Amino acid sequence: MGRHEVGHIDNSMRIPVNNGAGCRFEGHFSINKVPGNFHVSTHSATAQPQNPDMTHVIHKLSFGDTLQDEESHLQRVQPSSFLCGSSEGKLNTDHLISTSCRQVQNVHGAFNALGGADRLTSNPLASHDYILKIVPTVYEDKSGKQRYSYQYTVANKEYVAYSHTGRIIPAIWFRYDLSPITVKYTERRQPLYRFITTICAIIGGTFTVAGILDSCIFTASEAWKKIQLGKMH
């Protein structure tokens, strides 16, 4: 795995799977808040493979703190999963959080927009470009504690690259840019006056409907009495 700023990532794990038919990646790293990229390729290998295969599946790719599906107290954040060469792999963080974390509910967003991306049927010699537009996201709970995460949108293209010397070694590129707009979720406790107002509105509505029904029944009964008196005469 490489990154635009520093090249090879030392803290990434590359584990052969399926008897060498594929590879599994797992790692985490920091990126600057400027446009850049990171990629998966064999460019740094001493000997290049004769038949490179860049088909893959991405199970999870996320940035920043995890806002969804967190468990309390000691928890493991599931690493992003990345499958390369017809084998399951991972790309992102696998770490332990030892602080007390309350589950954040009802936060909907594109925190894992690339989850489930399947390119196993693609041309093995093709390169893949994923263009990520990252949107900073802040979640503030009732105590005022803030968590910083990132949502993103993605566009992708697949191509076989050539130069004057022949075919270029395929790679999987993740090119990112940050949006100047920040999304903020704020958790608020419903004030007491709003609860009282709601109760009063329900009671008032009930009395209003009851009054309308009573008026309708009274009007109908009076009309029926008049009809009955008319028949008697």
Side-chain angles (χ1 to χ4, degrees), residues 128-171:
H128 300 264
D129 263 13
Y130 294 99
I131 313 300
L132 312 178
K133 188 68 172 181
I134 302 175
V135 181
T137 303
V138 180
Y139 179 86
E140 181 178 333
D141 61 19
K142 288 179 289 192
S143 65
K145 180 182 178 181
Q146 293 185 338
R147 303 182 193 180
Y148 298 90
S149 186
Y150 298 86
Q151 303 180 59
Y152 63 94
T153 59
V154 59
N156 69 283
K157 63 179 179 179
E158 174 185 335
Y159 59 92
V160 178
Y162 291 90
S163 68
H164 64 280
T165 58
R167 178 173 50 80
I168 297 176
I169 298 172

Side-chain angles (χ1 to χ4, degrees), residues 194-207:
R194 182 173 297 180
F195 172 74
I196 296 174
T197 303
T198 303
I199 296 298
C200 291
I202 294 173
I203 295 174
T206 302
F207 275 101

Side-chain angles (χ1 to χ4, degrees), residues 21-126:
C23 49
R24 166 179 171 170
F25 288 94
E26 178 179 339
H28 64 277
F29 51 89
S30 300
I31 59 176
N32 296 323
K33 292 184 178 180
V34 295
N37 70 76
F38 53 94
H39 59 275
V40 177
S41 70
T42 60
H43 295 159
S44 62
T46 304
Q48 296 298 324
Q50 294 295 325
N51 297 303
D53 184 351
M54 283 297 168
T55 57
H56 60 279
V57 169
I58 302 173
H59 296 283
K60 185 178 180 183
L61 174 64
S62 61
F63 301 89
D65 296 336
T66 300
L67 295 184
Q68 297 172 315
D69 300 327
E70 292 188 340
E71 297 178 359
S72 60
H73 197 54
L74 185 63
Q75 71 165 24
R76 178 174 294 275
V77 177
Q78 294 300 326
S80 337
S81 23
F82 184 84
L83 172 93
C84 181
S86 304
S87 56
E88 185 175 352
K90 303 181 178 179
L91 173 65
N92 206 8
T93 320
D94 184 11
H95 59 282
L96 290 175
I97 297 179
S98 57
T99 58
S100 293
C101 296
R102 185 176 53 80
Q103 182 177 359
V104 178
Q105 298 178 347
N106 301 323
V107 176
H108 302 286
F111 296 97
N112 183 30
L114 270 175
D118 188 338
R119 301 293 181 267
L120 294 180
T121 58
S122 302
N123 184 345
L125 301 178

